[in-house]
Amino acid sequence: MSLVVWSGLRYSDPRVIQEIITTGKLSKLEHFEIDEKVQTISLFGEVWGVGPATALKLYDKGHRTLDDLRNDDSLTNAQKLGLKYFDDIRQRVPRHEVQEMEQILQKVGEDVLPGVIIICGGSYRRGKATCGDIDIIITHPDGTSHKGFLPKFVKCLKDMNFLREDLIFSTHSEEVYPRDIYTFGLVAWTGNDVLNRRLRLQAESRGFRLDDTGFFPAIQGSGGKRGTKGTANMKLYTEREVFDFLGFPWLEPHERNL
Ligand code: DCT
Ligand code: MG
């Protein structure tokens, strides 16, 4: 980057010299600095677990490369893992690999909890040829035995070395969808993000808030126009019911790449 910019400057150009003499600075160089800053912050932001504020903080500390970050003790464990697997995480996974992994996950899940339903959502469910990650949605048809499944499942996957690290998993987290709200999780985690935005807007126009756990009727007069969690949830059990309820034309998963 710096080479490209610098090669565009002719040091002997009288206008360059004139600018430095009269203003004490060189506007092209300032642009370069801005560019370098933007590029570095955006690179740091690609490290898993590093948001824009942290990226800026790291830049202000003087870090300019990923190797600089590797020597910084202030990184959280998740950020260190993000660095360690930086290239891996950025690489897209071929569809057939995701399919194999889904089958393994389903088999291990079944061993841990018979009847458990494990679906791979996201771009995979939308039929994409490669996937940025693997989004898993889990439920159990009996509505209760999903409780406590996730820690056991993760332990099993780690014991067999399928899972090497976990970034945000906590043994207290219960991130399996109870059967009665699973459909909303499935819609939300299938996406894509543009469709989700449209579905949420459509819900709002009908006086509901939609998220990955359900439809929530707006509470009149409380400023809760968008609907608030905790208000009665609509019981819908299939994706088609969700689309129908919204009056949104039905889309098969592979048609949801908006
Ligand atoms: N999602 C959303 N809004 C976002 C990002 C994601 O509603 N800003 C939903 C839709 C897809 C799902 O979450 C999973 O997200 P990603 O894994 O980020 O996207 P993807 O569609 O699976 O694509 P990728 O192949 O990049 O993972
Ligand atoms: Mg994904």
Side-chain angles (χ1 to χ4, degrees), residues 92-93 121-126 128 130-135 187-197 200 257:
R92 295 186 69 81
V93 187
S123 49
Y124 175 75
R125 189 158 183 258
R126 301 197 312 274
K128 290 283 186 184
T130 64
C131 304
D133 63 4
I134 304 180
D135 304 289
V187 169
W189 283 98
T190 298
N192 65 3
D193 51 350
V194 175
L195 174 65
N196 282 352
R197 233 170 285 136
R200 284 166 190 187
N257 295 300

Side-chain angles (χ1 to χ4, degrees), residues 17 19 21-22 28 35 69 100 108 112 119 140 143 175 225 240:
I17 295 166
E19 190 188 347
I21 290 170
T22 53
K28 269 197 175 173
D35 274 347
L69 298 191
E100 280 168 34
V108 175
V112 174
I119 296 282
H140 192 283
E175 286 157 353
K225 259 186 158 180
R240 209 177 267 273

Side-chain angles (χ1 to χ4, degrees), residues 39-50 65-67 69-70 78-92 132 167:
Q39 296 216 345
T40 309
I41 289 171
S42 109
L43 173 71
F44 291 173
E46 283 183 52
V47 176
W48 203 95
V50 175
T65 66
L66 295 179
D67 277 336
L69 298 191
R70 290 191 173 96
Q79 290 162 346
K80 283 180 195 153
L81 288 172
L83 262 182
K84 181 175 169 191
Y85 295 105
F86 185 77
D87 292 327
D88 271 349
I89 290 174
R90 290 213 306 180
Q91 216 177 337
R92 295 186 69 81
L167 291 168

Side-chain angles (χ1 to χ4, degrees), residues 15-247:
R15 286 169 302 181
V16 169
I17 295 166
Q18 186 65 32
E19 190 188 347
I20 293 173
I21 290 170
T22 53
T23 68
K25 51 193 181 184
L26 188 56
S27 57
K28 269 197 175 173
L29 184 56
E30 280 186 340
H31 284 300
F32 162 65
E33 279 173 355
I34 290 166
D35 274 347
E36 193 239 12
K37 186 169 177 174
V38 169
Q39 296 216 345
T40 309
I41 289 171
S42 109
L43 173 71
F44 291 173
E46 283 183 52
V47 176
W48 203 95
V50 175
T54 309
L56 177 60
K57 217 168 67 186
L58 293 167
Y59 180 89
D60 285 343
K61 270 173 126 177
H63 297 316
R64 294 294 178 269
T65 66
L66 295 179
D67 277 336
D68 293 346
L69 298 191
R70 290 191 173 96
N71 299 319
D72 189 303
D73 291 337
S74 76
L75 295 194
T76 64
N77 269 342
Q79 290 162 346
K80 283 180 195 153
L81 288 172
L83 262 182
K84 181 175 169 191
Y85 295 105
F86 185 77
D87 292 327
D88 271 349
I89 290 174
R90 290 213 306 180
Q91 216 177 337
R92 295 186 69 81
V93 187
R95 179 173 186 78
H96 70 90
E97 282 186 28
V98 181
Q99 191 175 6
E100 280 168 34
M101 285 191 256
E102 187 188 38
Q103 281 163 7
I104 293 170
L105 291 168
Q106 281 169 342
K107 195 189 162 304
V108 175
E110 180 70 26
D111 290 345
V112 174
L113 174 64
V116 72
I117 297 171
I118 297 178
I119 296 282
C120 187
S123 49
Y124 175 75
R125 189 158 183 258
R126 301 197 312 274
K128 290 283 186 184
T130 64
C131 304
D133 63 4
I134 304 180
D135 304 289
I136 305 291
I137 309 116
I138 305 173
T139 192
H140 192 283
D142 74 7
T144 53
S145 59
H146 61 274
K147 288 182 191 139
F149 168 74
L150 201 55
K152 286 186 223 157
F153 187 47
V154 169
K155 181 174 183 317
C156 221
L157 293 169
K158 276 191 160 179
D159 287 349
M160 60 189 276
N161 218 13
F162 179 90
L163 257 189
R164 308 273 169 86
E165 323 266 2
D166 52 73
L167 291 168
I168 53 168
F169 180 71
S170 117
T171 47
H172 302 295
S173 59
E174 187 49 87
E175 286 157 353
V176 175
Y177 286 97
R179 179 61 189 98
D180 60 345
I181 62 167
Y182 164 70
T183 299
F184 296 100
L186 189 58
V187 169
W189 283 98
T190 298
N192 65 3
D193 51 350
V194 175
L195 174 65
N196 282 352
R197 233 170 285 136
R198 287 201 195 156
L199 292 176
R200 284 166 190 187
L201 279 174
Q202 181 94 345
E204 272 178 36
S205 73
R206 298 188 167 215
F208 286 86
R209 188 170 70 92
L210 169 66
D211 67 17
D212 69 321
T213 64
F215 279 125
F216 303 93
I219 301 170
Q220 294 302 320
S222 67
K225 259 186 158 180
R226 297 170 64 118
T228 319
K229 250 191 166 150
T231 52
N233 194 353
M234 309 294 297
K235 299 291 179 207
L236 299 177
Y237 288 94
T238 65
E239 288 184 294
R240 209 177 267 273
E241 283 175 325
V242 173
F243 279 72
D244 285 352
F245 181 83
L246 286 171

